[in-house]
């Protein structure tokens, strides 16, 4: 009985916290790599594409939600964010925030 209550509590907490899964985020980030690069540092020294590697988790979540809502306006990213579910955003943010911020070579 205690075990069941504990498991329920753990489940409820993880649902509330919306903790992202970096490994799942890595898979989902394949479409992002075209612009943001595999390592999250952009594809070129031309800084049209912001570096995402090492950015704060909450900042990434907020940015993606803002593109979805149109609070932050950018046609390219609005299209990229349009179909992301909350769990996708959490996973992507977990992945990019877990990466090391590196300089573009
Ligand atoms: C076609 C190129 C392209 C693709 C693909 C793309 N992005 Fe972007 N991304 C951009 C551009 C350009 C910006 C800068 C937009 C702006 O000025 O707000 C940007 C900005 C962002 C930002 C805000 C960064 C900051 O520093 O504020 C986040 C977060 C982001 N992208 C996440 C993603 C994720 C996650 C994916 C994959 C699901 C993705 N992007 C796919 C081009 C792209």
């Amino acid at each position: 009985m205690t075990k069941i209550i504990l498991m329920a509590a753990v489940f409820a907490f993880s649902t509330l916290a919306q903790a992202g899964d970096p490994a799942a985020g890595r898979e989902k980030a394949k479409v992002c790599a075209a612009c943001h690069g595999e390592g999250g540092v952009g594809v070129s020294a031309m800084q049209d594409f912001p570096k995402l590697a090492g950015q704060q988790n909450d900042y990434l979540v907020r940015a993606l939600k803002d593109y979805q809502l149109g609070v932050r306006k950018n046609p390219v990213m609005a299209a990229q964010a349009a179909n992301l579910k909350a769990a996708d955003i959490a996973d992507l943010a977990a992945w990019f925030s877990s990466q090391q911020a590196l300089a573009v070579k």
Side-chain angles (χ1 to χ4, degrees):
M1 185 63 179
T2 319
K3 233 184 202 171
I4 293 171
I5 292 170
L6 264 179
M7 280 167 61
V10 167
F11 180 75
F13 180 76
S14 59
T15 310
L16 272 181
Q18 276 275 354
D21 174 0
R26 181 178 197 161
E27 285 302 306
K28 293 174 183 177
K30 284 188 174 146
V31 293
C32 321
C35 300
H36 294 287
E38 289 258 341
V41 291
V43 284
S44 75
M46 278 172 50
Q47 291 302 304
D48 302 43
F49 306 124
K51 293 176 194 165
L52 304 180
Q55 182 54 274
Q56 295 286 314
N57 188 84
D58 289 357
Y59 178 96
L60 294 167
V61 171
R62 179 62 190 264
L64 290 168
K65 285 185 178 162
D66 283 352
Y67 285 127
Q68 280 188 332
L69 295 169
V71 174
R72 184 166 170 179
K73 296 185 197 311
N74 180 266
V76 175
M77 275 312 298
Q80 292 296 321
N83 294 320
L84 297 176
K85 298 189 172 68
D88 298 331
I89 290 179
D91 290 345
L92 287 162
W95 165 239
F96 285 115
S97 63
S98 75
Q99 290 181 313
Q100 280 221 335
L102 300 172
V104 179
K105 294 205 179 93

